[in-house]
Amino acid sequence: EPEVTQTPSHQVTQMGQEVILRCVPISNHLYFYWYRQILGQKVEFLVSFYNNEISEKSEIFDDQFSVERPDGSNFTLKIRSTKLEDSAMYFCASSVDRSYTDTQYFGPGTRLTVL
Amino acid sequence: AQKITQTQPGMFVQEKEAVTLDCTYDTSDPSYGLFWYKQPSSGEMIFLIYQGSYDQQNATEGRYSLNFQKARKSANLVISASQLGDSAMYFCAMRENTGTASKLTFGTGTRLQVTL
């Protein structure tokens, strides 16, 4: 069964460093998403991406965040200058279309720890 | 107002018993989808079941069923014949028919512990 994959599973970085989180969405999916979950809290939407453009972003997704689809398979989230409060689990998700009836499938997550 | 409310931070159930996890939602959009995800201790988010706002029948997927009461704006997850492997966090989420790629909005989750 096709699945969303994410690398690395765990990333430790120093405050102020740049990190890139990588995702490979399900191959026939067209819409891609990043969510984050601070430890013990609910999952929060960051950004959605379609046709090489950001479709929607939350207020969390400020100028230090960026997303890219550098090739036909990868979808990346870059955090330019990490802060302590960026420590969280980051989930990539994908769906076939944007309809409210369509399921978003999640990857296993990348746990980011900022020291 | 919270869009998704899960009032049970933790629940216990005995193995082989049924359990209901509560979820209420708030939206003015007539078109929306409700989803349940399971998050085991390993951290991944596993899709369980979906209910559309226009669906006439309650959704079922194996041991999972959704008790959808539209007038009450509730979408409770029922797990029948609980197993030890059902111990996990369970999140209710909603996808509205707005925006350009309709994001999921999650509740705070319910931690289910299945006991012997």
Side-chain angles (χ1 to χ4, degrees):
Chain A
E1 187 174 316
E3 59 183 19
V4 178
T5 60
Q6 289 185 244
T7 54
S9 56
H10 194 181
Q11 174 99 41
V12 181
T13 190
Q14 295 289 326
M15 192 169 55
Q17 294 297 302
E18 175 184 286
V19 294
I20 297 176
L21 309 183
R22 292 183 166 79
C23 166
V24 178
I26 295 173
S27 61
N28 65 329
H29 287 189
L30 300 177
Y31 289 82
F32 314 123
Y33 312 83
W34 284 101
Y35 292 82
R36 81 171 185 191
Q37 183 183 30
I38 295 172
L39 188 64
Q41 298 187 22
K42 65 180 178 182
V43 179
E44 300 172 291
F45 169 76
L46 291 178
V47 66
S48 58
F49 192 85
Y50 168 71
N51 200 26
N52 283 318
E53 288 184 346
I54 290 175
S55 302
E56 188 178 357
K57 59 184 181 179
S58 72
E59 58 201 26
I60 303 168
F61 194 87
D62 61 23
D63 290 345
Q64 70 160 344
F65 290 93
S66 62
V67 288
E68 193 178 34
R69 189 157 163 82
D71 53 44
S73 58
N74 288 285
F75 178 51
T76 62
L77 174 70
K78 183 193 288 186
I79 309 175
R80 253 178 283 280
S81 177
T82 50
K83 304 173 198 163
L84 295 176
E85 55 264 38
D86 293 328
S87 293
M89 180 78 101
Y90 288 81
F91 291 103
C92 173
S94 68
S95 64
V96 173
D97 66 37
R98 63 167 294 280
S99 168
Y100 67 91
T101 64
D102 198 41
T103 300
Q104 293 182 20
Y105 291 93
F106 283 70
T110 293
R111 183 167 298 285
L112 177 65
T113 303
V114 182
L115 302 175
Chain B
Q2 294 290 322
K3 283 189 177 279
I4 296 287
T5 302
Q6 295 181 255
T7 57
Q8 306 154 314
M11 290 281 286
F12 285 88
V13 65
Q14 275 197 316
E15 199 180 17
K16 300 177 187 170
E17 296 293 307
V19 62
T20 298
L21 307 183
D22 294 342
C23 173
T24 58
Y25 59 92
D26 183 28
T27 180
S28 56
D29 193 336
S31 305
Y32 53 89
L34 296 158
F35 301 80
W36 279 90
Y37 288 85
K38 173 184 178 181
Q39 187 178 41
S41 57
S42 49
E44 70 268 33
M45 295 286 286
I46 302 166
F47 165 69
L48 295 178
I49 195 166
Y50 159 80
Q51 180 86 43
S53 58
Y54 297 111
D55 293 344
Q56 296 295 312
Q57 300 209 323
N58 287 339
T60 60
E61 285 285 349
R63 293 187 299 110
Y64 304 109
S65 61
L66 212 152
N67 183 1
F68 181 47
Q69 298 189 47
K70 194 170 181 177
R72 294 186 177 184
K73 292 190 174 179
S74 75
N76 299 337
L77 176 71
V78 181
I79 306 174
S80 62
S82 298
Q83 302 171 356
L84 294 177
D86 294 334
S87 295
M89 280 290 285
Y90 289 81
F91 290 96
C92 179
M94 177 170 63
R95 200 173 181 188
E96 297 168 286
N97 192 32
T98 57
T100 51
S102 54
K103 62 183 184 287
L104 281 167
T105 301
F106 284 83
T108 51
T110 295
R111 182 171 299 282
L112 178 67
Q113 186 68 45
V114 181
T115 60
L116 290 169

